[in-house]
Amino acid sequence: MTAETINVEQCAELLHCTEQRIEELTRSGELPGMKFGRGWIYVKADLLAYIAERARKEAEERRQDLNARKSVPRLDIPHRPRRQTPPPLPVPAKAFAQGPRP
């Protein structure tokens, strides 16, 4: 099995961002890359593992946030029914005085 290596341009395409952002993430140690000559090279399998790990971590954070919001009762908002029964329509007084119309 061979490890496929890619350059900064291909890495940016894979991660859907700019080449400058890839180089920033690599220099900070966020992305696994290696300086080779004047440019950076990356092992594609390592990048895919990085994406999978990051996606799992973010999904877990969203799940914890959602569970925390569900467990706290919202006391600040009073419960109001969505629809209220409309008030009865007023009956005109002339209709009773004249009787039914022919």
Side-chain angles (χ1 to χ4, degrees):
M1 180 172 126
T2 62
E4 182 182 353
T5 58
I6 59 176
N7 60 19
V8 173
E9 182 182 335
Q10 295 165 327
C11 183
E13 188 176 319
L14 178 69
L15 298 180
H16 302 286
C17 61
T18 65
E19 294 176 24
Q20 292 80 17
R21 183 67 178 142
I22 294 297
E23 288 184 8
E24 289 172 8
L25 291 171
T26 306
R27 284 190 185 101
S28 70
E30 181 78 18
L31 280 179
M34 182 179 85
K35 186 78 168 174
F36 192 77
R38 292 185 178 184
W40 293 92
I41 61 171
Y42 306 88
V43 177
K44 191 172 182 179
D46 290 344
L47 293 173
L48 294 174
Y50 165 78
I51 293 170
E53 177 185 336
R54 179 110 184 236
R56 280 191 292 274
K57 179 182 173 187
E58 288 182 12
E60 179 62 29
E61 289 172 359
R62 287 190 302 271
R63 210 172 13 256
Q64 288 175 354
D65 184 47
L66 182 62
N67 289 337
R69 281 189 277 149
K70 283 182 178 179
S71 67
V72 176
R74 296 185 64 181
L75 302 175
D76 57 340
I77 300 174
H79 175 69
R80 258 182 72 195
R82 288 183 174 255
R83 294 186 127 192
Q84 295 179 349
T85 307
L89 295 174
V91 179
K94 290 183 181 181
F96 288 114
Q98 294 175 356
R101 293 186 181 177

